[in-house]
Amino acid sequence: MFKGNAFKFGDSISTDLIVPGRLAHLRSNLPELAKHVLEDADPTFASRVKAGDFVVGGDNFGLGSSREHAPLVIKMAGVSAVLAKSVARIFFRNAINRGLPVLICDTDKINDGDELEVDMSAGTVNDITNGIVLTFKPIPEAMLAILEEGGLIPYIQKHGDFKLD
Amino acid sequence: MGKTLAEKILSQKLGRDVNAGDIVVSPVDLAFAQDTTGPLTVREFQSSGFKTLADKRRTMLFLDHAAPSPNAQLSADHMLLRSFARDTGCIISDVGAGVCHQVVAESMARPGDVIVGADSHTVTAGALGTFATGMGSSDIAVAFALGKTWFRVPETIRIEVKNKFSQFVTAKDLILHIIGLIGADGATYKALEFGGKAIETMSMAGRLTIANMAVEAGAKVGLFASDMTTEKMLREMGRPEQYRSISPDKDAVYEKVIEIDASALEPTVSRPHTVDNIVLSNSLSGVRIHQVFLGTCTNGRLEDFALAASILRNKKIHPDTRLIVAPSSKRVLLQAMDAGYMRIFVEAGGTIIPPGCGACLGLHQGILGDGEACLSTANRNFKGRMGNPNSFVYLASPATAAATALKGVVADPREVLQNV
């Protein structure tokens, strides 16, 4: 169960908006890079976000680059899950590989600042502020297996290999 | 039941029948990372306790995104990658060698291969009939160590392109048109497969441009059947024995088939800040362009430079517009020098930067000022892409780029050539 507030973003939040190429020199200094998370989409986000909060996007969240730093710094900011109407392929895979859930649901119904409660096992997002309950699409089994171990590296360390097919 | 190219490559690789929707663990023929994703890949590899690579001759690191390094932090990242290469024996492609995707196409990719890279434009090698896709650093660290990765076999959208292109209309205009048609998420999780008369007669450079941008429609791979053009390319690269024929079955099952008439296409431009924001170039006449960027893994090949040079020969670019040229590899740089293209660009008022990626992703060499606009032959125009969130990036073909450099505003290459 995750509980926190929604930070609402629009459609097409690219990896360039999450961690731009101009900050490539900070990628080996993750705490410093994390201070700039989503800076070009909302310059105040990094200073306002609290542990447990949610990043809520629209369509095609995380499109663009393969940079795993994008979900990594979102997670480092304390975000418990990303909610979106749809998500780009590589970002989705990277987020799961980092143990950051990405939940696909109708985020149009969520407003900026809403208090949310996510029940991973029930597959629901409870918007406490506006009194509605959304269901999210089940995470594919192969990815759930990785997410449940906390990410790909812990998964491989535990199993020694892929046990997916 | 017939197989799509994606299903066929993965079935052959695995030695058993696989179909769209299946989850598979597949061997990889090449795994690579570059200098902005490689340091994290190396650290994940090391912190996981991995010591040795699955195959050091099929593992590569590229120093191309910050090449040469603009600051001490990125120099330290380069040192880390060089040291990893020394310790493990993997292949390193150092500063000046070129953009990973061009070097992979020139020297590594084979028809029927499975390639994974820590860079989203890894899809470029699909032009050679290679199942090539981008992933993050953790996935690549595991591929380095185990020599395999997992995939969901993708459904395929077949793009059937008939007839011939008009003069100064290129593969870039086609792929921009397709992305405009299906949207930036129109092929998410899917394979795009390209065929038809206009594809069969298309050069390898054109196919690489199209495969490169498959990811801009969200696709996992952008695939072309191998043919005489693939064979000719491999021969030119000194590895003719690596050719093999691979093509989809006639009765393959596609999620959708989209037919496009190449002869109806016109010079096309993607406007800020998403790649699917597509219009014809002549609808943007008058839009002031401060910088033209000719290069990248999308359009920094010899054929692209030949086209741009044919427009810029014995002319001067607009006095208020800069022209920056970046060859996609050392090989392209040398060939373009021999062909005289570099002299044409410099005499026209342009400047040359080293083979690499820096300008495209706003890392260095060509960062835009507040309010400035660039017309680029690259693949992305997201807000902030070229180093400044208060600037604007338009995407177009090398012909449109050259015409725009002459006019200082977005220009249609066909009109520019009529009026000079």
Side-chain angles (χ1 to χ4, degrees), chain A residues 66-124:
Chain A
S66 71
R67 59 191 75 148
E68 196 168 307
H69 310 76
L72 186 51
V73 294
I74 290 175
K75 193 174 181 204
M76 285 176 72
V79 170
S80 54
V82 172
L83 279 53
K85 283 159 74 180
S86 63
V87 61
R89 181 184 60 87
I90 306 177
F91 181 88
F92 187 31
R93 189 163 168 138
N94 283 344
I96 299 299
N97 283 348
R98 282 285 160 188
L100 174 70
V102 178
L103 309 174
I104 304 305
C105 57
D106 183 7
T107 56
D108 282 347
K109 299 200 167 70
I110 300 170
N111 298 308
D112 188 51
D114 282 1
E115 191 182 4
L116 308 179
E117 200 171 64
V118 168
D119 186 334
M120 288 297 289
S121 51
T124 55

Side-chain angles (χ1 to χ4, degrees), chain A residues 23-29 32, chain B residues 35 39 43 66 69-80:
Chain A
L23 300 177
H25 60 288
L26 297 179
R27 288 193 196 175
S28 286
N29 182 356
E32 200 53 44
Chain B
D35 47 351
R43 289 193 183 98
S69 167
N71 55 52
Q73 293 101 317
L74 286 159
S75 299
D77 285 342
H78 283 187
M79 290 169 73
L80 171 69

Side-chain angles (χ1 to χ4, degrees), chain A residues 146 152-165, chain B residues 25-26 50 142 145-150:
Chain A
I146 292 167
L152 181 65
I153 298 296
Y155 174 92
I156 291 291
Q157 283 179 322
K158 179 169 171 185
H159 298 278
D161 202 344
F162 293 103
K163 307 277 187 212
L164 301 171
D165 58 346
Chain B
V25 176
S26 171
F50 294 129
V142 172
L146 303 182
K148 56 185 160 182
T149 193
W150 75 274

Side-chain angles (χ1 to χ4, degrees), chain B residues 16 39 63 87 101 135 187 203 275 307 313 363 392 411:
Chain B
R16 64 183 163 90
L63 309 189
D87 293 346
H101 311 301
M135 296 181 168
S203 67
V275 182
L307 181 60
R313 181 172 284 121
L363 202 155
F392 304 89

